Amino acid sequence: QVQVVESGGGLVQAGGSLRLSCTASGLTFDDYAMGWFRQAPGKEREGVSCIGWSGSSTYYADSVKGRFTISRDNAKNTLYLQMNSLKPEDTAIYYCAADARGYCSRSWTNMYGYDYWGQGAQVTVSS
């Protein structure tokens, strides 16, 4: 049974930092590309970042480029999202997702391309 679990969310002031973690079990972690998505109230879920199976290829949404860093530790079956210079508009539920293709496709921001999802972690940035 596949389980994907996010952790590390919380409340932070604007300009601050948070690191999200995502641990996956029940699958061969380094066979999967991994993505981070977020969904703010009243808005659609949007792709934030994607990392290929080896960690050598990474992609970011324009809104977070230069502020967020995605990484993975395949030995620990864990995905990370380091978020710096946080803004109130980053407030959302953040989701981790696994893509069995192993690489970040051209449509990596399309949530329907992912096979497994976590339950989400709330990130709130106060102004």
Side-chain angles (χ1 to χ4, degrees), residues 30-110:
D30 55 9
D31 280 350
Y32 286 74
M34 299 297 295
W36 285 103
F37 285 73
R38 66 185 182 186
Q39 188 165 17
K43 294 189 176 182
E44 293 187 351
R45 193 169 299 189
E46 63 171 351
V48 173
S49 186
C50 183
I51 186 168
W53 69 271
S54 69
S56 61
S57 58
T58 57
Y59 302 85
Y60 297 92
D62 288 344
S63 58
V64 306
K65 207 170 288 185
R67 300 187 298 122
F68 290 11
T69 303
I70 191 171
S71 62
R72 64 191 295 162
D73 185 339
N74 287 344
K76 296 181 178 179
N77 284 14
T78 302
L79 172 74
Y80 303 99
L81 185 68
Q82 178 66 43
M83 304 184 292
N84 298 329
S85 302
L86 282 161
K87 305 175 181 180
E89 52 263 44
D90 294 319
T91 295
I93 299 174
Y94 282 71
Y95 298 91
C96 168
D99 183 343
R101 289 173 291 186
Y103 62 91
C104 299
S105 72
R106 286 186 179 181
S107 59
W108 68 266
T109 57
N110 184 343

